[in-house]
């Protein structure tokens, strides 16, 4: 089960954080922060030939003893980082990538909303519900 | 196809509405209307910059982004590609459209050239907004020499 999903904008601050359980949020902040370098490294190392059909999905960034960290970058330099429980059986890259594509679609819908100003924290409930369903679905 | 003209009608009404309250607002009032149009275009450009490139591959460099603007963005908004793209490879790009959709219904030639800039403000904002989302701070200006051709110049200030 995904324990944390974080959306980081191109200025490198977290735009949206969701974690289960909520108490571990600070710990996840530091893990995600350290993984940002890895995202940049993987993207620059990827080169033209390896770029995925939709979006840049470097996939597994690094495994820690409790969690595995996965990353995804959009064309507008927004990064999605997910922490998944290591105790589950290994997830195929396809599943993780399709999860990220759904996140990307929802995030695009949120940015197209004319009411909140760009740069405000994400508040629409649709995004929240979608993230909840994704977190429970990835098993 | 009716849907190609829907945006043109809406745009014409937008410009007319912003100019209507004071037909001769003087330089100060005109500037406000132009700013409003540009900021509307900017916001639309920001969201288009998120949504349109979703299906495309990652952009490796500035030229890729400009090609995306000339092909995908222009086709999505104006249903045709940009006619030419020139660059000095130092951050300045000139995009030329020889039959800009928003100017075609007006005239052909030099008539109404002074009125044309207000019909370009939204598009300048659109380009600026899309570039901003894709990571480039830029300044976009547009020139009309003879309707319906128009040129957009874009200076890249810095990538962020």
């Amino acid at each position: 089960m995904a324990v944390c999903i974080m959306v980081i904008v191109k200025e490198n601050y977290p735009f949206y954080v969701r974690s289960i359980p909520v108490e571990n949020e600070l710990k996840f902040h530091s893990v995600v922060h350290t993984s940002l370098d890895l995202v940049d490294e993987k993207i620059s190392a990827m080169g033209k030939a390896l770029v995925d059909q939709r979006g840049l999905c470097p996939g597994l960034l690094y495994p820690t003893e409790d969690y595995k960290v996965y990353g995804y970058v959009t064309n507008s330099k927004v990064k999605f980082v997910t922490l998944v429980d290591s105790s589950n059986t290994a997830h195929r890259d396809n599943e993780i990538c399709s999860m990220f594509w759904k996140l990307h679609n929802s995030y695009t819908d949120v940015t197209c909303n004319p009411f909140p100003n760009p740069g405000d924290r994400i508040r629409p409930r649709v995004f929240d519900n979608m993230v909840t369903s994704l977190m429970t679905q990835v098993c | 196809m009716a849907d190609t003209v829907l945006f043109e009608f809406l745009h014409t009404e937008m410009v007319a509405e912003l100019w209507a309250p004071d037909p001769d607002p003087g330089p100060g009032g005109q500037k406000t209307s132009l700013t409003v149009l540009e900021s509307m275009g900017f916001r639309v450009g920001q969201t288009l910059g998120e949504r349109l490139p979703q299906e495309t591959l990652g952009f490796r460099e500035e030229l890729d982004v400009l090609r995306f603007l000339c092909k995908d963005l222009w086709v999505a908004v104006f249903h045709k590609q940009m006619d030419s793209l020139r660059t000095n490879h130092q951050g300045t790009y000139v995009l030329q459209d020889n039959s800009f959709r928003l100017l075609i219904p007006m005239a052909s030639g030099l008539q109404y050239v002074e009125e044309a800039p207000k019909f370009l403000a939204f598009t300048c904002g659109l380009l600026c907004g899309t570039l901003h989302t894709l990571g480039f701070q830029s300044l976009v200006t547009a020139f009309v020499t003879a309707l319906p051709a128009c040129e957009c110049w874009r200076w890249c200030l810095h990538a962020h």
Side-chain angles (χ1 to χ4, degrees):
Chain A
M1 190 166 95
V3 292
C4 177
I5 288 183
M6 217 179 268
V7 178
I8 293 144
V9 293
K10 57 177 174 251
E11 288 87 9
N12 283 336
Y13 64 84
F15 193 51
Y16 177 83
V17 182
R18 187 67 178 289
S19 62
I20 298 168
V22 184
E23 303 86 58
N24 290 344
E25 202 174 292
L26 266 180
K27 186 169 80 167
F28 297 148
H29 269 274
S30 71
V31 172
V32 171
H33 192 259
T34 50
S35 66
L36 287 179
D37 282 332
L38 276 166
V39 174
D40 289 334
E41 203 183 288
K42 287 224 169 183
I43 294 299
S44 51
M46 253 178 162
K48 261 195 171 126
L50 296 171
V51 170
D52 207 42
Q53 198 59 37
R54 289 185 60 185
L56 299 168
C57 199
L60 178 65
L61 296 176
Y62 68 95
T64 66
E65 51 185 36
D66 297 321
Y67 311 108
K68 291 198 190 115
V69 185
Y70 292 91
Y72 176 91
V73 183
T74 68
N75 273 317
S76 49
K77 311 283 182 290
V78 171
K79 304 169 191 81
F80 301 118
V81 181
T82 313
L83 273 71
V84 177
D85 221 331
S86 276
S87 53
N88 292 322
T89 48
H91 299 282
R92 290 186 23 233
D93 263 354
N94 281 350
E95 288 169 14
I96 300 291
C97 276
S98 65
M99 182 193 82
F100 277 129
W101 292 336
K102 282 189 208 145
L103 252 182
H104 190 178
N105 282 332
S106 276
Y107 174 76
T108 315
D109 288 339
V110 165
T111 48
C112 292
N113 188 342
F115 297 111
N117 294 319
D120 285 351
R121 300 246 148 174
I122 300 180
R123 272 189 282 158
R125 272 171 278 168
V126 179
F127 192 74
D128 266 341
N129 295 339
M130 198 272 323
V131 169
T132 319
S133 69
L134 276 180
M135 286 176 88
T136 48
Q137 180 192 29
V138 180
C139 290
Chain B
M1 270 283 174
D3 41 338
T4 55
V5 297
L6 290 176
F7 172 63
E8 290 166 33
F9 288 156
L10 180 64
H11 182 264
T12 314
E13 284 310 306
M14 264 165 33
V15 176
E17 187 59 33
L18 280 165
W19 252 260
D22 191 358
D24 190 17
Q30 266 185 11
K31 225 175 157 189
T32 322
S33 305
L34 285 175
T35 316
V36 169
L37 277 171
E38 250 192 88
S39 56
M40 283 164 76
F42 189 87
R43 188 75 184 95
V44 174
Q46 277 187 313
T47 49
L48 273 179
E50 264 313 331
R51 192 167 297 273
L52 281 181
Q54 254 187 302
E55 304 288 326
T56 58
L57 306 181
F59 299 126
R60 288 281 141 217
E61 46 171 29
E62 215 170 278
L63 202 53
D64 284 340
V65 175
L66 266 297
R67 279 199 205 105
F68 161 78
L69 284 187
C70 292
K71 293 187 178 160
D72 302 312
L73 183 75
W74 222 245
V75 167
V77 182
F78 300 112
H79 305 277
K80 67 182 282 282
Q81 288 192 10
M82 189 76 74
D83 291 316
S84 86
L85 167 67
R86 301 194 302 273
T87 176
N88 67 356
H89 296 287
Q90 280 160 20
T92 305
Y93 296 85
V94 180
L95 293 74
Q96 183 160 359
D97 189 340
N98 292 324
S99 51
F100 189 49
R101 281 210 92 90
L102 299 175
L103 295 178
I104 287 179
M106 277 183 239
S108 185
L110 296 171
Q111 195 184 15
Y112 298 125
V113 164
E114 315 82 48
E115 310 288 339
K118 52 171 102 88
F119 290 91
L120 300 173
F122 181 88
T123 315
C124 286
L126 185 81
L127 286 170
C128 220
T130 314
L131 285 165
H132 181 264
T133 311
L134 296 171
F136 297 97
Q137 193 96 326
S138 55
L139 184 68
V140 179
T141 51
F143 301 98
V144 177
T145 43
L147 274 70
C150 86
E151 281 188 6
C152 293
W153 287 65
R154 178 235 155 196
W155 285 272
C156 174
L157 300 181
H158 58 86
H160 59 89

